[in-house]
Amino acid sequence: MRGRGNARSSPALAVSWRPATWHPCLDMGHLHRPRSSTSYRNLPHVFLFFLFVGPFNCLASYSRATELLYSLNEGLPAGVLIGSLAEDLRLVPRATGRQNQQSLPERTGSAAEWYPPLSFSLASGGLSGQYVTLDNRSGELHTSALEIDREALCLEGGGGAAWGGSISISSPSSDSCLLLLDVLVLPQEYFRFVKVKIAIRDINDNAPQFPVSQISVWVPENAPVNTRLVIEHPAVDPDIGTNGVQTYRLLDYHGMFTLDVEENENGERTPYLIVMGALDRETQDQYVSIIIAEDGGSPPLLGSATLTIGISDINDNCPLFIDSQINITVYGNATVGTPIAAVQAVDRDLGTNALITYSYSQKVPQASKDLFHLDEATGVIKLFSKIGGSVLQTHKLTILANGPGCIPAVITALVSIIKVIFRPPEIVPRYIANEIDGVVYLKELEPVNTPIAFFTIRDPEGKYKVNCYLDGEGPFRLSPYKPYNNEYLLETSKPMDYELQQFYEIVVVAWNSEGFHVKRIIKVQLLDDNDNAPVFLQPLIELTIEENNAPNAFLTKLYATDADSGERGQVSYFLGPDAPSYFSLDSVTGILTVSTQLDREEKEKYRYTVRAVDCGKPPRESVATVTLTVLDKNDNSPRFINKDFSFFVPENFPGYGEIGVISVTDADAGRNGWVALSVVNQSDIFVIDTGKGMLRAKVSLDREQQSSYTLWVEAVDGGEPALSSSTKITILLLDINDNPPLVLFPQSNMSYLLVLPSTLPGSPVTEVYAVDKDTGMNAVIAYSIIGRRGPRPESFRIDPKTGNITLEEALLQTDYGLHRLLVKVSDHGYPEPLHSTVMVNLFVNDTVSNESYIESLLRKEPEINIEEKEPQISIEPTHRKVESVSCMPTLVALSVISLSSITLVTGMGIYICLRKGKKHHREDESLEVQIPLKGKIDFHMRERKPMDISNI
């Protein structure tokens, strides 16, 4: 097994370059010679020859094909090595199998030592060829940029069957997905027609998925324990084997159920719901849980759906009466058809299982049945015939409540008949409001004093005074209707509210002077009006969500109530006009979601309105305010206000002085927005205040030691995990005049030079050479003679720019001897120029005959009068003399402006030079000190060694 593609090489592949049975068509040396470059150009013609002629002539005798089989995982990136055809076909040695065919040696010995340059090409350019690349020289197969998806590939029919007589390198499983390739190996002496199979192994890249999001299972409430019910719509996983669905479970078993999984012959797993406890629909008619399907990958992937377990009703409850007996009183003059009572039984079942019919028991006498009629459906007992004088005063009515398949429930109604000697008063109603079957229907919004009915009170005897009043509570009143006698008007007395009380039962009572009472029951049913708007539980709904939320994230479920009934109480939810478009509100469920990712840095708070609207006519609505606060996540790195920072600092800046402020911001809030600064490099020299961002130097900085510093500052926020960023800081040191000129020549005040008397005037004698470590004007050097001693020292002058000392006048006989010149070397620094002095000793004589004498003269302290004349350089001649005093202010202003411009240009020049890492030396005839051009100066002159100056 080699490490590149799970391919195994069989010893059967170690075959000769020719098949055992030779055929002229396979020995095509006359068409191709490996050593001939011209033959390579004929390869396309040879290939075409094989395609069109070979199948009819050659392949009829040589039909055996070589087969290679590889396997690899799906989803691999481009460039993964699948296998080497050259190695696996034993066409080249293992040691050279992965080398370029151009590196194979030329034929120098026997055939066993020579290996020709082989050519590999795909003979099939179908779908399979899109997923691999074949190196036509090395024979290596690699994955292409088109990623292999086993599920999509097999769905497209990417598999294939094995060929007979093939040489197998790997044994695929029965559920493998195959890529088929046909490869031609040339030249023709070693021609191979290779069939390549690539078995695609499955990886766990698909999660189980239920075909529906809501699954319902119905279980009879009398289902015994261990009842098994199949759960339809099992989860589907495109992956195979252990990567497919392996098990199911419920998120909540409710203590009543469990799950079992059965596997059929095809390996498909089906979940079954098992009842583990006694069910009672009347106690709980529904169970809701989440069913989860889990595959066998590592890590496993999950899929889920909502499982609703409904408990179907069976007839396990019978009708029941609340009371076992009721007492009824009926007057002898009661009107036929008058309801005298009603019985009602209750059955807790549903539908036809709860259907109740009422009937008399067989024990009830027929006379009682004829006198009192029982409604089988409603249980209402009515007076069926007029009560005569011979009717029994007491009747026992045994009533049965019958349910399907149940023993009837029994209630006893005792009816007592009171015989009337005198005819009682009569109450005759005449309804104004809508009345159906003795029930008056009123709208709840009817105004006060709405008339309901007229009542006429009559005394059949005509000799008794009859009064009438209203018995019972409610927003009603009964008053005489003048100017008529015995006429009464029933009307409303207060506003009515359906939501407080929907039904009223009032009694109109008439009684005469003999104390005989007659009652008339009036039932009033209120009809609901859309007089209530929906009401939110909270008028202000405060929500929070973390930024970078997932799309369609759940925010909350709005809930509003409407006291009205029916459609008038059905509430729909809508977003207000001020709500952003990416918020969604389900009009039915009231679920509020946000469809996009929120960014706290873009907007932290949202405030908009939501509406709850009922279905009344006209509809009513109420409004609530939603405030959404987006909570911060550490998703922003600290950000410097500049890409990099540059600071100009004068040298010798005091330690811990303030260099500059490094400004940084972080768009996050709270701890996520706290930023700590630190110096990454050069921390031994520089330090930064975390709070203020102030950069300081721990020590004083010297430009002459280092002119610039480059350091990196890192900003780290306080989030978890922390985010950081960095910036580059460049510190440029500005020069100050802190270094006096350094005289390099002459090297000592005890040095002297021999000047020959024949030296011509104007000839250079020597020079003073000095340097200044400062820059700019601080390094501009001027030379001057400030003191002289000797026979005639004024014969020598010094160039203020170059420091060259020349002879001004011809030397006389009296000028022989030691001339001593005190030279002042001064810079042009600001605010105070610095200077150095050096003694130049010139000995005028023909020869140096007595050095000890000269040295004794040098050791004597010279008495030289110091001249106060300052050196002047670069002074251009003035063409005209300014005589007017009025021009002086203008000249002063121009001088200040010029000096400022020069300073600015100098600073910019320093910065540019340091940035580019180069130093540009430019000649400035008026400012810069140059080494004299008049001959070369011997800088190796030793002390006390004379130098001859002559005219030669």
Side-chain angles (χ1 to χ4, degrees):
M1 180 75 70
R2 292 195 305 276
R4 61 178 183 269
N6 289 344
R8 292 181 297 180
S9 179
S10 172
L13 290 178
V15 296
S16 173
W17 294 104
R18 289 184 179 179
T21 302
W22 178 84
H23 190 277
C25 294
L26 297 178
D27 188 5
M28 298 182 181
H30 63 283
L31 295 177
H32 173 70
R33 295 297 180 188
R35 295 180 181 179
S36 173
S37 61
T38 306
S39 299
Y40 281 98
R41 292 192 295 268
N42 293 330
L43 277 177
H45 303 287
V46 174
F47 179 68
L48 292 175
F49 178 82
F50 269 104
L51 288 181
F52 294 100
V53 179
F56 300 97
N57 298 323
C58 301
L59 297 183
S61 299
Y62 185 66
S63 60
R64 183 175 64 88
T66 301
E67 178 182 338
L68 294 179
L69 180 59
Y70 299 98
S71 64
L72 76 159
N73 291 341
E74 62 174 324
L76 293 177
V80 175
L81 178 63
I82 300 173
S84 174
L85 272 63
E87 290 185 11
D88 296 334
L89 293 172
R90 302 289 181 85
L91 298 179
V92 295
R94 296 288 181 181
T96 61
R98 296 190 183 182
Q99 298 176 357
N100 193 298
Q101 294 293 329
Q102 294 178 353
S103 65
L104 294 174
E106 294 291 334
R107 180 195 293 258
T108 57
S110 63
E113 298 175 352
W114 178 81
Y115 302 98
L118 303 177
S119 174
F120 299 85
S121 61
L122 290 174
S124 58
L127 178 64
S128 299
Q130 301 175 11
Y131 294 98
V132 297
T133 59
L134 175 63
D135 191 309
N136 62 351
R137 301 195 65 81
S138 67
E140 289 186 349
L141 273 175
H142 294 83
T143 56
S144 69
L146 182 60
E147 184 178 291
I148 298 176
D149 184 357
R150 190 199 66 83
E151 290 75 31
L153 185 63
C154 291
L155 194 61
E156 296 173 0
W163 298 286
S166 64
I167 301 174
S168 178
I169 294 178
S170 176
S171 178
S173 60
S174 60
D175 53 2
S176 292
C177 178
L178 298 179
L179 285 178
L180 301 181
L181 303 171
D182 292 336
V183 179
L184 296 177
V185 183
L186 296 174
Q188 59 269 28
E189 293 96 327
Y190 309 100
F191 172 75
R192 292 288 186 276
F193 181 69
V194 184
K195 291 184 175 292
V196 178
K197 288 184 178 181
I198 303 175
I200 309 303
R201 291 195 300 266
D202 182 52
I203 65 172
N204 192 27
D205 57 344
N206 292 280
Q209 186 175 6
F210 286 91
V212 294
S213 59
Q214 300 280 343
I215 301 175
S216 297
V217 177
W218 287 96
V219 183
E221 63 175 323
N222 64 340
V225 176
N226 294 327
T227 298
R228 300 171 63 88
L229 298 103
V230 65
I231 297 178
E232 298 180 354
H233 310 294
V236 178
D237 193 328
D239 296 324
I240 61 174
T242 57
N243 293 331
V245 178
Q246 297 297 314
T247 185
Y248 293 85
R249 69 175 186 270
L250 291 180
L251 195 61
D252 185 0
Y253 290 93
H254 297 284
M256 303 294 293
F257 305 97
T258 187
L259 279 184
D260 187 21
V261 180
E262 291 186 2
E263 184 176 0
N264 60 16
E265 297 177 354
N266 297 327
E268 297 177 350
R269 288 176 169 84
T270 303
Y272 282 81
L273 182 70
I274 302 176
V275 179
M276 300 299 294
L279 302 174
D280 186 3
R281 188 206 62 81
E282 288 72 32
T283 302
Q284 185 170 351
D285 60 354
Q286 179 177 279
Y287 298 87
V288 179
S289 185
I290 302 296
I291 183 170
I292 299 173
E294 180 177 331
D295 63 21
S298 181
L301 301 179
L302 307 177
S304 63
T306 301
L307 177 63
T308 302
I309 306 171
I311 309 303
S312 58
D313 183 56
I314 64 168
N315 191 26
D316 57 344
N317 291 280
C318 290
L320 293 175
F321 284 110
I322 299 176
D323 299 319
S324 61
Q325 179 177 313
I326 59 173
N327 297 318
I328 305 171
T329 301
V330 179
Y331 290 100
N333 61 344
T335 306
V336 174
T338 302
I340 61 172
V343 295
Q344 185 176 8
V346 178
D347 192 325
R348 297 175 61 191
D349 292 326
L350 293 176
T352 57
N353 293 331
L355 185 62
I356 301 175
T357 59
Y358 301 93
S359 63
Y360 284 126
S361 172
Q362 295 180 357
K363 298 179 181 180
V364 178
Q366 187 61 40
S368 298
K369 294 180 181 179
D370 295 339
L371 183 60
F372 302 104
H373 177 264
L374 175 62
D375 192 304
E376 293 183 355
T378 63
V380 175
I381 304 173
K382 294 182 179 180
L383 184 62
F384 191 68
S385 61
K386 189 173 181 179
I387 299 174
S390 61
V391 175
L392 296 175
Q393 293 184 355
T394 301
H395 296 263
K396 184 178 180 180
L397 305 178
T398 301
I399 302 173
L400 305 178
N402 305 289
C406 291
I407 299 175
V410 180
I411 189 173
T412 302
L414 294 177
V415 182
S416 299
I417 299 175
I418 301 175
K419 293 185 178 181
V420 180
I421 300 176
F422 301 99
R423 288 187 296 174
E426 295 180 355
I427 302 175
V428 180
R430 289 171 292 168
Y431 293 99
I432 301 173
N434 184 26
E435 181 266 340
I436 301 175
D437 294 334
V439 179
V440 177
Y441 294 91
L442 292 176
K443 292 184 178 181
E444 63 171 327
L445 296 182
E446 292 287 356
V448 178
N449 300 326
T450 296
I452 299 174
F454 277 110
F455 292 92
T456 301
I457 310 301
R458 299 175 182 173
D459 180 17
E461 301 293 333
K463 56 182 179 179
Y464 300 105
K465 181 179 180 181
V466 180
N467 294 318
C468 186
Y469 66 91
L470 196 63
D471 186 16
E473 297 180 356
F476 308 101
R477 64 169 170 259
L478 184 66
S479 57
Y481 190 74
K482 297 180 181 180
Y484 304 102
N485 294 325
N486 298 328
E487 295 288 342
Y488 293 86
L489 176 64
L490 178 64
E491 59 186 353
T492 61
S493 60
K494 296 178 182 179
M496 296 175 290
D497 191 349
Y498 175 87
E499 288 70 37
L500 295 178
Q501 187 171 347
Q502 297 87 33
F503 184 79
Y504 296 90
E505 190 172 271
I506 56 178
V507 179
V508 177
V509 181
W511 59 282
N512 58 20
S513 57
E514 295 295 324
F516 194 84
H517 293 74
V518 176
K519 297 180 179 181
R520 186 65 180 254
I521 299 175
I522 306 298
K523 296 180 181 179
V524 178
Q525 176 66 55
L526 292 186
L527 301 178
D528 188 29
D529 283 307
N530 192 30
D531 59 337
N532 291 280
V535 177
F536 283 99
L537 295 181
Q538 294 176 330
L540 177 61
I541 304 167
E542 297 178 335
L543 306 174
T544 60
I545 188 174
E546 278 194 344
E547 64 176 328
N548 303 331
N549 55 281
N552 300 316
F554 173 83
L555 294 177
T556 190
K557 186 178 187 303
L558 302 180
Y559 187 71
T561 58
D562 193 318
D564 294 324
S565 62
E567 293 184 352
R568 293 170 292 274
Q570 293 180 1
V571 180
S572 299
Y573 302 92
F574 302 96
L575 289 172
D578 55 345
S581 60
Y582 39 82
F583 288 95
S584 300
L585 180 58
D586 192 293
S587 61
V588 178
T589 63
I591 293 178
L592 180 64
T593 58
V594 56
S595 61
T596 186
Q597 275 192 351
L598 300 180
D599 187 357
R600 189 204 65 83
E601 289 72 37
E602 181 179 340
K603 189 172 183 180
E604 183 177 6
K605 290 187 178 294
Y606 295 86
R607 185 182 181 92
Y608 53 89
T609 57
V610 291
R611 299 185 301 127
V613 183
D614 62 22
C615 297
K617 294 182 181 180
R620 290 178 175 267
E621 69 175 46
S622 62
V623 178
T625 301
V626 174
T627 62
L628 176 63
T629 302
V630 183
L631 303 180
D632 184 56
K633 291 180 69 175
N634 192 28
D635 58 343
N636 289 277
S637 300
R639 183 177 181 182
F640 293 92
I641 62 171
N642 295 326
K643 184 178 180 181
D644 50 24
F645 294 81
S646 298
F647 297 103
F648 294 89
V649 180
E651 64 174 331
N652 302 331
F653 197 67
Y656 291 96
E658 297 180 352
I659 295 177
V661 176
I662 310 299
S663 299
V664 61
T665 60
D666 195 314
D668 294 322
R671 288 190 60 89
N672 296 332
W674 295 354
V675 179
L677 297 174
S678 61
V679 178
V680 178
N681 63 326
Q682 306 278 0
S683 59
D684 55 333
I685 302 177
F686 297 96
V687 67
I688 191 167
D689 296 341
T690 298
K692 298 181 180 179
M694 181 62 68
L695 182 65
R696 304 174 187 270
K698 297 180 181 180
V699 296
S700 180
L701 305 178
D702 188 359
R703 189 203 64 81
E704 285 72 35
Q705 293 184 2
Q706 186 171 342
S707 61
S708 66
Y709 295 86
T710 299
L711 53 141
W712 290 89
V713 172
E714 183 181 38
V716 181
D717 62 23
E720 185 64 35
L723 301 178
S724 64
S725 61
S726 59
T727 187
K728 186 175 74 171
I729 310 295
T730 302
I731 300 174
L732 302 173
L733 296 183
L734 300 178
D735 183 56
I736 64 173
N737 194 27
D738 59 344
N739 291 279
L742 177 63
V743 179
L744 301 179
F745 186 85
Q747 299 177 356
S748 170
N749 289 336
M750 301 300 290
S751 301
Y752 66 93
L753 296 172
L754 178 64
V755 180
L756 298 178
S758 60
T759 302
L760 296 178
S763 299
V765 176
T766 185
E767 71 163 346
V768 177
Y769 181 69
V771 296
D772 196 317
K773 294 182 180 180
D774 295 323
T775 59
M777 295 298 294
N778 296 332
V780 177
I781 298 176
Y783 303 89
S784 64
I785 299 175
I786 62 173
R788 305 169 187 265
R789 185 175 176 83
R792 195 160 56 98
E794 63 273 8
S795 300
F796 302 95
R797 72 174 291 273
I798 191 169
D799 190 302
K801 293 188 296 182
T802 66
N804 288 341
I805 297 177
T806 58
L807 180 64
E808 288 293 307
E809 301 176 0
L811 295 174
L812 304 177
Q813 190 68 27
T814 58
D815 294 335
Y816 281 68
L818 182 64
H819 295 256
R820 310 194 74 177
L821 305 178
L822 182 60
V823 177
K824 180 180 180 181
V825 183
S826 177
D827 61 24
H828 282 62
Y830 179 83
E832 185 69 28
L834 302 178
H835 69 275
S836 300
T837 60
V838 65
M839 187 69 73
V840 178
N841 301 303
L842 304 175
F843 186 70
V844 179
N845 201 2
D846 293 324
T847 62
V848 179
S849 58
N850 190 354
E851 291 187 7
S852 60
Y853 170 72
I854 299 176
E855 292 175 359
S856 65
L857 294 178
L858 293 175
R859 282 193 292 269
K860 293 181 181 180
E861 187 70 27
E863 295 180 2
I864 298 178
N865 295 327
I866 304 300
E867 301 175 4
E868 296 300 331
K869 182 180 179 181
E870 294 293 333
Q872 300 292 330
I873 61 173
S874 302
I875 301 176
E876 297 294 332
T878 305
H879 295 284
R880 58 184 179 182
K881 186 176 181 180
V882 179
E883 297 179 355
S884 177
V885 180
S886 61
C887 296
M888 288 303 294
T890 303
L891 294 176
V892 171
L894 292 175
S895 300
V896 172
I897 294 173
S898 301
L899 182 59
S900 301
S901 302
I902 292 172
T903 303
L904 178 60
V905 171
T906 302
M908 293 178 63
I910 293 171
Y911 176 74
I912 294 172
C913 291
L914 292 175
R915 292 283 288 184
K916 295 184 177 180
K918 299 180 181 179
K919 294 183 179 180
H920 299 278
H921 298 281
R922 298 179 180 176
E923 296 182 356
D924 191 336
E925 293 182 359
S926 62
L927 294 177
E928 195 173 90
V929 177
Q930 300 178 350
I931 298 176
L933 301 177
K934 296 180 180 180
K936 295 183 179 180
I937 304 298
D938 184 9
F939 291 99
H940 301 284
M941 183 189 70
R942 301 182 180 273
E943 292 186 2
R944 306 185 185 91
K945 296 297 180 180
M947 180 177 70
D948 295 339
I949 306 297
S950 66
N951 295 329
I952 299 176

